[in-house]
Amino acid sequence: ALLHEDTELKFFKTGDSQIKITGSIKTTSSQNAIVKPDFKFEDMGIGGLDEEFSAIFRRAFASRIFPSSLVEKLGIQHVRGVLLFGPPGTGKTLMARQIGKMLNAHEPKIVNGPEVLNKFVGQSEENIRNLFKDAENEYKAKGDESKLHIIIFDELDAICKQRSGQSNGGTGVGDSIVNQLLSKMDGVDQLNNILIIGMTNRLDLIDEALLRPGRLEVHMEIGLPTETGRLHILKIHTSKMRTNK
């Protein structure tokens, strides 16, 4: 192999290696770019939610655009959680899906709240831990250079209700699930390569500990569309008619 002035060498360690690589990667190659290089925002097919989407992007993804070395120097903490709330049918699930497609990240894990629950003791908490396992393994191997792992919780209110502190004759599994999720998102071994997107139409039911900074800190209301938004939605749904004349 020939080394020239423009040759770039990148070193990565395996997960079980005891070697610690120091230094900084100043490049912003497509490998570390947060948005897919070939992605077009017109392809998202989200109507009437331009302001909400730009606000989410600015607050949740702006820090991830910069190289990890610069983020470390600035002392910025990445946003780890976004909560979308609003009436049913306003586009919360659609926006979460499209955010997953847009980002240069692993395939999002989509979880419907009730699917986490299991009749066996401890299995529900195990289901939560398994969602974070891939992200933990990659973070151990690559650190801040690992790709983003996205976990989307639909119907979050089904599993993250306010903790009562009492089982009231039940198993108390609801409290245990919330505790497990809290520890994984912002516990002692916190991860910097995860993004949790939660969706609910009952914000009042969600446990308050989940809504503080460091967890689901970006709260975005997805409301009913305006007149301009409704026109945009109509254009999206009739685009195939226009294409086929």
Side-chain angles (χ1 to χ4, degrees), residues 161-181:
K161 287 188 172 73
Q162 295 278 354
R163 286 172 293 179
S164 61
Q166 300 175 358
S167 59
N168 292 330
T171 60
V173 69
D175 291 8
S176 299
I177 289 175
V178 175
N179 292 335
Q180 183 69 78
L181 194 55

Side-chain angles (χ1 to χ4, degrees), residues 43-137:
D43 298 339
M44 292 193 73
I46 299 177
L49 295 174
D50 292 346
E51 288 184 17
E52 288 85 350
F53 181 76
S54 60
I56 289 172
F57 192 85
R58 185 179 69 251
R59 295 179 64 186
F61 304 119
S63 63
R64 296 182 185 272
I65 292 174
F66 303 113
S68 56
S69 58
L70 180 59
V71 172
E72 190 178 342
K73 287 178 183 176
L74 293 173
I76 297 173
Q77 290 291 327
H78 293 313
V79 167
R80 293 193 195 91
V82 178
L83 181 66
L84 308 178
F85 66 96
T90 50
K92 299 184 293 295
T93 307
L94 173 65
M95 180 174 277
R97 279 201 202 109
Q98 297 300 73
I99 286 173
K101 289 179 185 175
M102 173 194 77
L103 298 177
N104 188 23
H106 290 282
E107 187 74 22
K109 295 179 181 178
I110 301 176
V111 185
N112 290 318
E115 290 178 357
V116 174
L117 301 173
N118 193 289
K119 64 180 179 179
F120 295 108
V121 176
Q123 188 58 51
S124 300
E125 295 89 326
E126 179 71 20
N127 291 341
I128 294 288
R129 288 195 292 273
N130 288 337
L131 292 172
F132 291 83
K133 195 167 281 184
D134 291 339
E136 287 175 341
N137 292 337

Side-chain angles (χ1 to χ4, degrees), residues 16 55 97 105 170 181 204 242:
D16 55 351
R97 279 201 202 109
L181 194 55
D204 55 306
R242 290 195 302 277

Side-chain angles (χ1 to χ4, degrees), residues 186-200:
D186 193 26
V188 177
D189 299 322
Q190 59 185 15
L191 302 171
N192 219 12
N193 63 338
I194 58 164
L195 178 71
I196 311 296
I197 303 178
M199 292 168 284
T200 180

